[in-house]
Structure formats: C-alpha cells, structure tokens
Amino acid sequence: MRAFVITGPGAASVRDVDPPVAGPGEVVVDVERAGVCGTDLEFFSGEMAYLHTGDAEYPVRIGHEWCGVVTSAGSAEGESWIGKRVTGDTMLGCGRCARCTSGRQHTCADRYEIGIRHGWPGALAEQLRVPVGALHEIPAGFDLTMGAMVEPGANAMRAHQQAAGSRILVMGPGTIGLLVASFAAAAGAEVHLLGLKLDFARSLGFADVWTADDLPDLPFDTVVDCSTAASLPAKAVELVEPGGRVVFLGIAEEPSLIDTRQLALKDVTAVGVLSGSGALRKTIDVYASGAVDPRPLVAATVGLDEAVNVLAGHRDPAWGEAPKVHIDPRR
C-alpha cells in the first residue's frame, strides 16, 4: 500500500510499504481522510520533542486525525466493526497499569500514540491498524471532513470541559483554539479570542477578537492557552480572574515559565490537557447535534502526494485562511 514516510528533517516521500495485518483485538481501517496538525509539522521539521527524548525516531509515519471504514479484524471481538465508518483515539495504553485501569490510558508510561510515539504507523496511508478499544463509530450523517475533525475536536472538548465561569479568553486562534471557542460559545459562554491573525476568526462570527495591544481589561473566569508561544502561559495566569482557571493545551518549542506565586496568591486552578482521550464520543455527539460545525476550519483536501508540500508550508492562496488541511490517501 502507499504510505507517507518522513525519514529525517525536511525529508519525506510516499512509499510502497507492507499493508497492516490486524492482530488479536485489532482491526484494519481503510483510511478515507486524515488531518495534518502541528505535531506532524514538528516531525517534518525535526523539532518534535519526542525525537529528542527517544520516544520517537525516524523513519516515522505520521497521521493521528483520521476516519475510515473497518475492512478486516484480527479476532472475533473486531468482527462486529467490519463495514463501519470509524475514527479513534490516538493514545493506546498498555491496558494493565494503574493509569490504564483507572481510565487514564493516555498517560500510560508505555503507551503508543498512533502516528507519533514508539513507532505505531499513522493514518497518512491507505490503511491503518487500530485496537478495537480505541474505535468510535461515526454517525451516518457525518461527512469525511467531520469524521477527521473528531480527534482535534476532542482535544478542544477536554479543554472546554475544564473551563469554568461565563467569560472565557482563548489564546491562539488556530484549529484547536477555534474549536475551544466554538464549544464554549455553543454552551452559552462569552468568548474572547487573542491572537495575531484574526480575520478568519471574525469570519466565523466571533466578534470579540483581540491582539495583545487592544485586549480589554476584563475579568476572565477562564483563560485557555492554545498557542505555541513560550511567553503566553505566564500571560494566561496574569489575565485570569482570581479564583479562576487556566487551561494549558498548546506546547511551545522551549520551556514556558510561570510564576507560581501568582498561581497561589490568586488562588488559580491550573489544568493541563494532553489529548482528546475520553472526549471523542462527546465531540461526535456535539458535531452530530449541529451545535458546532468543524468543517469551515478545513481549507482544502489534497492527495497523499501533496502531503510533503503541506508540511513544508506551501499553501495555495485560493484555499483562504482556514487553518486545517486534510489528506485523502486514496488520491
């Protein structure tokens, strides 16, 4: 089958590789759509932290935002999934440790991450091997764009679920930030966005969008940092109302420093969000209800051979300013 393989910083191509074979408790999915995210860009550039900690190494096959149809199963427990359109969790815990058995498999020390950690092949390929326990069925009314937006949506959903209060500031209006803002707005919150490129956010109907120079002095009950700027986590603590919450979802290339005295003296609750684990079904339900539509965030869908140009940052101006690009591995 055809698969996209990154062999080193700035070096990648589509290759013919052996198709996956489902083991016990696993299925094989024919991938219909896969998203490209910031983690994928970091693998291509060589900046991905796991490359430097030993949790990942080249060659790597990326892709963890996906949907497709189950076509084969490795054991009886997967046979009922054959023919169903699905998406799935990125985090694959060992299933035996205390973290896994308490519902925290996404923090398992021995976890695989599809397309990211410990070499589990990703979804920028014609087929993908997935454990049955990671699967979520997609409703019949979903199109492929919505299906591949479930995983990033689940990350945003978990951040939204950690928010409190009626006025929320989201820092970083990229894909995840805009989804956090959309979930919060759908739940009735007053949503503000802080960033550099704001025209697209305005086009989605968000009126309270600001730069650092014109951000109003308001009491923000929750500040969600979805940026990759090392300076913004500290800014989030500075801006949040005493007794409020800060939610950290973005990851900078270098350490982000926070004055813990501010956390304590303002009685702030700080929460980190690692993944969308535990929120995929809720995200599917919200999409299905029509309360949030992620499709305007996708600028274009291109074939597998175009993935290298996408990772290199080459965008067709005709795509507009939507932040997400999807790959159709069948093209």
Side-chain angles (χ1 to χ4, degrees):
M1 70 169 186
R2 299 171 74 238
F4 186 76
V5 184
I6 303 176
T7 54
S13 62
V14 177
R15 298 186 174 187
D16 288 324
V17 302
D18 292 334
V21 176
E26 298 176 345
V27 300
V28 170
V29 174
D30 281 3
V31 181
E32 295 177 304
R33 190 67 53 83
V36 175
C37 89
T39 299
D40 301 320
L41 297 176
E42 290 177 356
F43 271 118
F44 185 71
S45 69
E47 296 168 351
M48 172 58 184
Y50 284 172
L51 292 169
H52 307 288
T53 61
D55 292 304
E57 61 182 18
Y58 295 119
V60 61
R61 285 170 46 189
I62 59 172
H64 58 276
E65 305 173 359
W66 56 272
C67 70
V69 175
V70 177
T71 53
S72 65
S75 57
E77 62 187 296
E79 291 179 356
S80 64
W81 287 94
I82 293 176
K84 293 182 178 179
R85 179 165 285 117
V86 297
T87 186
D89 200 342
T90 299
M91 305 299 203
L92 312 179
C94 71
R96 302 178 300 274
C97 69
R99 296 176 187 175
C100 286
T101 56
S102 64
R104 296 178 291 134
Q105 94 287 344
H106 62 294
T107 64
C108 173
D110 296 324
R111 73 185 180 275
Y112 290 92
E113 298 178 21
I114 292 176
I116 299 174
R117 193 172 193 257
H118 291 333
W120 192 288
L124 262 66
E126 292 179 326
Q127 292 186 314
L128 174 69
R129 179 171 58 94
V130 189
V132 169
L135 296 174
H136 289 268
E137 187 173 2
I138 293 173
F142 265 43
D143 64 19
L144 300 181
T145 301
M146 293 174 71
M149 288 294 285
V150 170
E151 196 279 341
N155 282 266
M157 175 61 73
R158 283 196 64 217
H160 162 62
Q161 290 172 331
Q162 294 296 331
S166 60
R167 181 180 288 124
I168 295 174
L169 174 65
V170 179
M171 309 170 84
T175 298
I176 301 297
L178 289 169
L179 286 167
V180 173
S182 297
F183 289 134
E190 176 187 322
V191 178
H192 296 254
L193 284 156
L194 175 66
L196 299 174
K197 298 179 179 180
L198 299 170
D199 287 344
F200 182 71
R202 291 190 182 96
S203 76
L204 296 178
F206 293 105
D208 295 319
V209 293
W210 317 99
T211 67
D213 294 330
D214 60 11
L215 181 69
D217 183 14
L218 294 171
F220 295 109
D221 301 309
T222 296
V223 179
V224 184
D225 178 25
C226 301
S227 76
T228 57
S231 62
L232 286 186
K235 189 68 174 177
V237 177
E238 175 187 329
L239 292 172
V240 73
E241 180 75 355
R245 286 189 167 222
V246 289
V247 182
F248 298 115
L249 189 55
I251 298 177
E253 294 178 14
E254 58 191 75
S256 304
L257 303 181
I258 295 174
D259 187 345
T260 57
R261 295 171 299 182
Q262 278 197 312
L263 284 176
L265 293 172
K266 293 180 70 172
D267 200 30
V268 168
T269 299
V271 182
V273 173
L274 172 62
S275 76
S277 296
L280 282 88
R281 177 48 54 187
K282 177 65 174 177
T283 302
I284 291 170
D285 291 344
V286 172
Y287 286 175
S289 74
V292 171
D293 184 357
R295 290 173 292 186
L297 302 184
V298 179
T301 300
V302 300
L304 197 59
D305 291 324
E306 294 299 315
V308 66
N309 289 328
V310 172
L311 292 168
H314 303 314
R315 286 176 59 107
D316 187 331
W319 294 353
E321 296 183 355
K324 178 67 68 175
V325 177
H326 278 178
I327 305 293
D328 181 350
R330 303 165 300 176
R331 288 167 52 181

